[in-house]
Amino acid sequence: MSFVRWLHHLDQDATLWLNSLNTPFSDGIWQMFSDARVWIPMYAALALLLFARTGWKKALVILASIGLTFACTNELSDIVKSAVLRLRPVWDNYMVEGGLHRLEGRGGWYGFFSAHSANVFGLAAALTMGMRQDRSRDWKGFSWMMYIWAALVAVSRVFVGKHFLGDVLVGAAVGLVAGTLFGCLARWIIGKYL
């Protein structure tokens, strides 16, 4: 067995195990975390906090870095999904026969890597770097909350049956890299021009 096939089987089994830890109570929580629309009020509150703590010029630069992060991770996810062609768990016979618990519709055919995971980790990285522009506060607690929230959103994709654990982990890594790069760019622009 090749290393890639071995890794895929390991990912299948890890995903089935994690996905099996469902309860009627937790199902509703994971569906909530997985639904991007639920978080719109939080995004608006974070934008207001950003403007209040950093000023409008810096806030616009930081928001642009977050927008670039989303654009980059979404586009990269689409390119990789089309190139890799790894079926989502809901389309994988081994997963379905193994008892995959599904809480949402099937979605598209391919799921490597998770754009949800990349987006939330990219947001966490870019936003926490941006909030550090407000030097009047220690933002460690805020950073921890953002990364815990991102992890919960990402893992929710496994619980609803949309992604393998590996899809989520790779998505998180891509999001962290993109968010950090665009966050550094925003910090450089702010330091040089504002």
Side-chain angles (χ1 to χ4, degrees), residues 30 32-33 35-36 38-40 42-43 46 70 116 119-124 127 142-156:
W30 294 123
M32 180 198 70
F33 270 97
D35 186 354
V38 168
W39 302 109
I40 291 172
M42 184 186 89
Y43 297 149
L46 288 172
F70 283 176
H116 264 79
N119 285 337
V120 294
F121 272 95
L123 170 65
L127 184 61
F142 176 80
S143 296
W144 274 103
M145 287 188 332
M146 286 303 300
Y147 285 112
I148 290 169
W149 166 78
L152 290 170
V153 170
V155 80
S156 76

Coordinates of all heavy atoms in Angstrom, one line a residue, residues 30 32-33 35-36 38-40 42-43 46 70 116 119-124 127 142-156:
W30 N -23.2 21.6 16.5 CA -22.3 21.5 15.3 C -22.9 22.1 14.1 O -22.3 22.7 13.3 CB -21.9 20.1 15.1 CG -21.1 19.5 16.2 CD1 -21.3 18.4 17.0 CD2 -19.8 20.1 16.7 NE1 -20.3 18.3 17.9 CE2 -19.4 19.3 17.8 CE3 -19.1 21.2 16.4 CZ2 -18.2 19.5 18.5 CZ3 -17.9 21.4 17.1 CH2 -17.5 20.6 18.1
M32 N -25.0 24.6 14.1 CA -24.9 26.1 14.2 C -23.5 26.5 13.9 O -23.3 27.5 13.1 CB -25.2 26.4 15.7 CG -25.2 27.9 15.9 SD -25.0 28.4 17.7 CE -23.4 27.8 18.1
F33 N -22.5 25.9 14.4 CA -21.1 26.3 14.1 C -20.8 26.2 12.6 O -20.0 27.0 12.1 CB -20.1 25.4 14.9 CG -19.8 26.0 16.3 CD1 -20.4 25.6 17.4 CD2 -18.8 27.0 16.4 CE1 -20.1 26.2 18.6 CE2 -18.5 27.6 17.6 CZ -19.2 27.2 18.7
D35 N -22.8 26.7 10.1 CA -23.6 27.6 9.3 C -23.0 29.0 9.3 O -23.1 29.7 10.3 CB -25.1 27.6 9.8 CG -26.0 28.4 8.9 OD1 -25.5 29.1 7.9 OD2 -27.2 28.4 9.2
A36 N -22.4 29.4 8.2 CA -21.7 30.7 8.1 C -22.7 31.8 8.4 O -22.2 32.9 8.9 CB -21.1 30.8 6.7
V38 N -24.9 32.2 10.6 CA -25.1 32.4 12.0 C -24.1 33.4 12.5 O -24.4 34.2 13.5 CB -24.9 31.1 12.8 CG1 -24.8 31.3 14.3 CG2 -26.1 30.2 12.5
W39 N -22.9 33.5 11.9 CA -21.8 34.3 12.4 C -21.8 35.7 11.8 O -21.0 36.5 12.2 CB -20.5 33.6 12.1 CG -20.5 32.2 12.7 CD1 -20.6 31.0 12.1 CD2 -20.5 32.0 14.1 NE1 -20.6 30.0 13.0 CE2 -20.6 30.6 14.3 CE3 -20.5 32.7 15.3 CZ2 -20.6 29.9 15.5 CZ3 -20.5 32.1 16.5 CH2 -20.5 30.7 16.6
I40 N -22.8 36.1 11.0 CA -22.8 37.4 10.4 C -22.9 38.5 11.5 O -22.1 39.5 11.5 CB -23.9 37.6 9.4 CG1 -23.6 36.7 8.2 CG2 -24.2 39.0 9.0 CD1 -24.7 36.6 7.1
M42 N -21.7 38.4 14.5 CA -20.3 38.4 15.1 C -19.3 39.1 14.2 O -18.5 39.9 14.7 CB -19.8 37.0 15.4 CG -18.5 37.0 16.2 SD -17.8 35.3 16.4 CE -16.9 35.2 14.9
Y43 N -19.4 38.9 12.9 CA -18.5 39.5 12.0 C -18.7 41.1 12.1 O -17.8 41.8 12.0 CB -18.7 39.0 10.6 CG -18.4 37.6 10.4 CD1 -19.1 36.9 9.4 CD2 -17.4 36.9 11.1 CE1 -18.8 35.5 9.2 CE2 -17.2 35.6 10.9 CZ -17.9 34.9 9.9 OH -17.6 33.6 9.7
L46 N -17.2 42.4 15.2 CA -15.8 42.4 15.2 C -15.3 43.6 14.3 O -14.3 44.3 14.7 CB -15.2 41.1 14.6 CG -15.3 39.9 15.5 CD1 -15.0 38.6 14.7 CD2 -14.5 40.0 16.7
F70 N -9.7 35.9 2.5 CA -10.8 35.1 2.0 C -10.7 34.8 0.6 O -11.0 33.7 0.1 CB -12.2 35.8 2.3 CG -12.6 35.8 3.8 CD1 -13.7 36.5 4.1 CD2 -11.9 35.1 4.7 CE1 -14.2 36.5 5.4 CE2 -12.3 35.1 6.1 CZ -13.5 35.8 6.4
H116 N -14.2 26.4 4.5 CA -14.7 26.9 5.8 C -13.5 27.0 6.7 O -13.3 28.0 7.4 CB -15.7 25.9 6.3 CG -17.1 26.2 6.1 ND1 -17.7 25.9 4.9 CD2 -18.1 26.8 6.8 CE1 -19.0 26.3 4.9 NE2 -19.2 26.8 6.1
N119 N -11.0 29.7 5.8 CA -11.5 31.0 6.0 C -11.5 31.4 7.4 O -11.1 32.6 7.8 CB -12.9 31.2 5.4 CG -13.0 31.2 3.9 OD1 -12.0 31.6 3.3 ND2 -14.1 30.8 3.3
V120 N -12.0 30.6 8.3 CA -12.1 31.0 9.7 C -10.7 31.1 10.4 O -10.5 32.0 11.2 CB -13.0 30.1 10.5 CG1 -14.4 30.2 10.1 CG2 -12.6 28.6 10.5
F121 N -9.8 30.2 10.0 CA -8.4 30.3 10.5 C -7.7 31.5 9.9 O -6.9 32.2 10.6 CB -7.6 29.1 10.4 CG -7.8 28.1 11.5 CD1 -8.8 27.1 11.4 CD2 -7.1 28.2 12.7 CE1 -9.0 26.2 12.5 CE2 -7.3 27.4 13.7 CZ -8.2 26.4 13.7
G122 N -8.0 31.8 8.6 CA -7.4 33.0 8.0 C -7.9 34.3 8.7 O -7.2 35.2 8.9
L123 N -9.2 34.3 9.0 CA -9.8 35.4 9.7 C -9.2 35.6 11.0 O -8.8 36.7 11.4 CB -11.3 35.2 9.8 CG -12.1 36.2 10.7 CD1 -12.0 37.6 10.2 CD2 -13.5 35.8 11.0
A124 N -9.1 34.5 11.8 CA -8.5 34.6 13.1 C -7.1 35.1 13.1 O -6.7 36.0 13.8 CB -8.5 33.2 13.8
L127 N -7.1 39.0 11.7 CA -7.8 39.9 12.6 C -7.0 40.0 13.9 O -6.8 41.1 14.4 CB -9.2 39.4 13.0 CG -10.0 40.3 13.9 CD1 -10.2 41.6 13.2 CD2 -11.4 39.6 14.2
F142 N -8.3 37.7 23.5 CA -9.0 37.8 22.2 C -8.5 36.8 21.2 O -9.3 36.2 20.5 CB -8.9 39.3 21.7 CG -9.6 39.5 20.4 CD1 -11.0 39.7 20.3 CD2 -8.9 39.5 19.2 CE1 -11.6 39.9 19.1 CE2 -9.5 39.7 18.0 CZ -10.9 39.9 17.9
S143 N -7.2 36.7 21.1 CA -6.6 35.8 20.1 C -7.0 34.4 20.5 O -7.4 33.6 19.6 CB -5.1 35.9 20.1 OG -4.7 37.2 19.7
W144 N -6.9 34.0 21.7 CA -7.3 32.6 22.1 C -8.8 32.4 21.7 O -9.1 31.3 21.2 CB -7.1 32.4 23.6 CG -5.7 32.0 24.0 CD1 -4.7 32.8 24.5 CD2 -5.1 30.7 23.8 NE1 -3.6 32.1 24.7 CE2 -3.8 30.8 24.2 CE3 -5.6 29.5 23.3 CZ2 -3.0 29.7 24.2 CZ3 -4.8 28.4 23.2 CH2 -3.5 28.5 23.7
M145 N -9.6 33.3 22.0 CA -11.1 33.1 21.7 C -11.3 33.0 20.2 O -12.1 32.1 19.8 CB -11.9 34.3 22.2 CG -12.1 34.3 23.7 SD -13.2 35.5 24.4 CE -13.2 36.8 23.3
M146 N -10.6 33.8 19.4 CA -10.7 33.7 18.0 C -10.3 32.3 17.4 O -10.9 31.7 16.6 CB -9.9 34.8 17.3 CG -10.6 36.2 17.4 SD -12.3 36.2 16.7 CE -12.0 35.8 15.0
Y147 N -9.1 31.8 18.0 CA -8.6 30.5 17.5 C -9.5 29.3 18.0 O -9.6 28.4 17.3 CB -7.1 30.4 17.8 CG -6.2 31.2 17.0 CD1 -5.5 32.3 17.5 CD2 -6.1 30.9 15.6 CE1 -4.7 33.0 16.6 CE2 -5.3 31.7 14.8 CZ -4.6 32.7 15.3 OH -3.9 33.5 14.5
I148 N -10.0 29.4 19.2 CA -10.9 28.4 19.7 C -12.2 28.4 18.8 O -12.6 27.3 18.4 CB -11.2 28.6 21.2 CG1 -10.0 28.3 22.0 CG2 -12.4 27.7 21.6 CD1 -10.1 28.7 23.5
W149 N -12.7 29.6 18.5 CA -13.9 29.6 17.7 C -13.6 29.0 16.3 O -14.4 28.3 15.8 CB -14.3 31.1 17.5 CG -15.3 31.3 16.4 CD1 -16.7 31.1 16.5 CD2 -15.0 31.8 15.1 NE1 -17.2 31.4 15.3 CE2 -16.2 31.9 14.4 CE3 -13.9 32.3 14.5 CZ2 -16.3 32.3 13.1 CZ3 -14.0 32.7 13.2 CH2 -15.2 32.7 12.5
A150 N -12.4 29.4 15.7 CA -12.1 28.9 14.4 C -12.0 27.3 14.5 O -12.4 26.6 13.5 CB -10.8 29.5 13.9
A151 N -11.4 26.8 15.5 CA -11.3 25.3 15.6 C -12.6 24.7 15.7 O -12.9 23.6 15.1 CB -10.4 25.0 16.8
L152 N -13.5 25.3 16.5 CA -14.9 24.7 16.6 C -15.6 24.7 15.2 O -16.3 23.8 14.9 CB -15.7 25.4 17.7 CG -15.2 25.2 19.1 CD1 -15.9 26.1 20.1 CD2 -15.5 23.7 19.5
V153 N -15.5 25.9 14.5 CA -16.1 25.9 13.2 C -15.5 24.9 12.3 O -16.3 24.2 11.6 CB -16.0 27.3 12.6 CG1 -16.4 27.4 11.1 CG2 -16.8 28.4 13.4
A154 N -14.2 24.8 12.3 CA -13.5 23.8 11.4 C -14.0 22.4 11.7 O -14.3 21.6 10.8 CB -12.0 24.0 11.5
V155 N -13.9 22.0 13.0 CA -14.3 20.6 13.4 C -15.8 20.3 13.2 O -16.1 19.2 12.9 CB -13.8 20.3 14.8 CG1 -14.7 20.8 15.9 CG2 -13.6 18.8 15.0
S156 N -16.6 21.3 13.2 CA -18.0 21.1 12.9 C -18.2 20.5 11.5 O -19.2 19.8 11.3 CB -18.8 22.5 13.0 OG -18.6 23.3 11.9

